[in-house]
Amino acid sequence: MHLIANTVVALCSDPAQLAFARAKNAWEQVVEEALRSRGSVLSVMFRYPLRDVRLGEVTVGAGRPIMVGLCSAGTDRDRFGGEAGRFDTMRELAAHLGFGAEGPVTLPVLLR
């Protein structure tokens, strides 16, 4: 439900995006961009490392819970460019975490 509503809001907020989608029949791009930029999966279940693991500047002890927040993953400027926060159906398609997973496991393999 959120995906549909978020997509409608994004397209209605920028008539050029809607016009592009209609003119190019780019509905697959619209869906992928909505999943990337306005995904409805905010987090996933807790994960528990099998041994101590370093994530950024923090060491998480074995067996300690880690909750992965996905709500801002689609706006990562390093991955999606300087305007990552903008809904852009003309953006080149790239893998994202819209459904909470991206191809190969993106978390350390030590998590179960």
Side-chain angles (χ1 to χ4, degrees), residues 52-67:
D52 291 358
V53 63
R54 186 111 176 127
L55 296 174
E57 307 241 345
V58 176
T59 299
V60 180
R64 301 289 304 199
I66 299 172
M67 178 173 246

Side-chain angles (χ1 to χ4, degrees), residues 66-100:
I66 299 172
M67 178 173 246
V68 181
L70 300 176
C71 55
S72 65
T75 59
D76 181 354
R77 291 177 181 211
D78 290 337
R79 180 167 186 117
F80 298 106
E83 293 194 12
R86 187 166 87 65
F87 181 83
D88 182 3
T89 57
M90 294 170 257
R91 182 185 314 274
E92 184 176 330
L93 293 179
H96 56 74
L97 297 173
F99 284 124

Side-chain angles (χ1 to χ4, degrees), residues 38-54:
R38 290 168 168 65
S40 56
V41 176
L42 300 180
S43 62
V44 295
M45 297 172 59
F46 284 104
R47 299 291 186 238
Y48 303 86
L50 300 176
R51 61 179 171 91
D52 291 358
V53 63
R54 186 111 176 127

Side-chain angles (χ1 to χ4, degrees), residues 1-10 34-35 38-42 99:
M1 187 71 168
H2 293 288
L3 174 61
I4 295 169
N6 290 341
T7 305
V8 169
V9 168
L35 285 168
R38 290 168 168 65
S40 56
V41 176
L42 300 180
F99 284 124

